[in-house]
Amino acid sequence: MSSYENLGELLDPAVTVLLTVECQQGVVGPDSALPELARQARSSGALANIARLVAAAHESGIQVIHALAERRPDGRGASHNARLFRAAERLPVQQLSGTTAVRVAPPIEVAEEDVVVRRLHGLSPIQGTDVDALLRNLGCRTLIVTGVSANVAIPNAVFDAVNRGYTAVVPTDAIAGVPADYTPAMIRHTLALVATLATTDEVLGCCQGPRRR
């Protein structure tokens, strides 16, 4: 984990973007397709911490990107090459384009200046989406990664960010996965090797100040 001083240098609002991953109603909301994950995201405080980070980003001028996963009603373009995708097709709640399931979940607030990126395939919010091009156009050097799940999409996002030359910062209490004890193990043994780890409060402490965008 980096020192607080180093974290402050990394989180210059002019070159920092906050990414929320699959924080949508059909995933972390009360009518989630994945109720165990939704419960963990809420009971752990991760969803509330993400909302705090988003609010602070809006205040400080850090750009926010919300990465959502959805599916066309006809399934065109959807991935079928992994067990996870096939299981998702049978869930009672579908992440269908245009439905409430693919809206950003409360208590996270979406501001007019936020960017929402939707993907129809794959496991990563970065690979094969507009996110990388957007980050480069925004002058991003540091990407704060939050959301779900610590099992799949979060490590995908961190690896993809690092492979593309960004510095990844992970607020460890603003991500969630299942079972509950998996997330800290994955952080300790995987993300700690490639990302800068911090708490939500530490990140918030470095995001105080006037808007710079």
Side-chain angles (χ1 to χ4, degrees), residues 98-115:
T99 67
T100 58
V102 294
R103 294 179 186 170
V104 175
I108 299 168
E109 295 188 2
V110 180
E112 185 177 354
E113 63 267 26
D114 292 0
V115 177

Side-chain angles (χ1 to χ4, degrees), residues 67-178:
L68 307 179
E70 60 182 49
R71 177 184 175 88
R72 284 171 50 115
D74 61 10
R76 289 183 182 271
S79 300
H80 304 281
N81 58 332
R83 178 183 175 189
L84 178 64
F85 302 130
R86 295 190 293 273
E89 293 174 3
R90 299 190 295 271
L91 292 174
V93 177
Q94 293 290 306
Q95 313 299 317
L96 298 181
S97 303
T99 67
T100 58
V102 294
R103 294 179 186 170
V104 175
I108 299 168
E109 295 188 2
V110 180
E112 185 177 354
E113 63 267 26
D114 292 0
V115 177
V116 178
V117 177
R118 303 176 183 275
R119 78 176 193 274
L120 293 172
H121 61 85
L123 299 169
S124 172
I126 297 178
Q127 171 66 33
T129 74
D130 291 337
V131 169
D132 184 38
L134 290 168
L135 294 176
R136 296 192 186 282
N137 290 346
L138 290 164
C140 177
R141 293 205 299 265
T142 300
L143 184 65
I144 306 171
V145 180
T146 67
V148 296
S149 73
N151 305 75
V152 179
I154 294 300
N156 258 261
V158 171
F159 294 152
D160 286 348
V162 172
N163 284 333
R164 286 162 174 76
Y166 305 106
T167 297
V169 172
V170 178
T172 56
D173 52 357
I175 64 172
V178 289

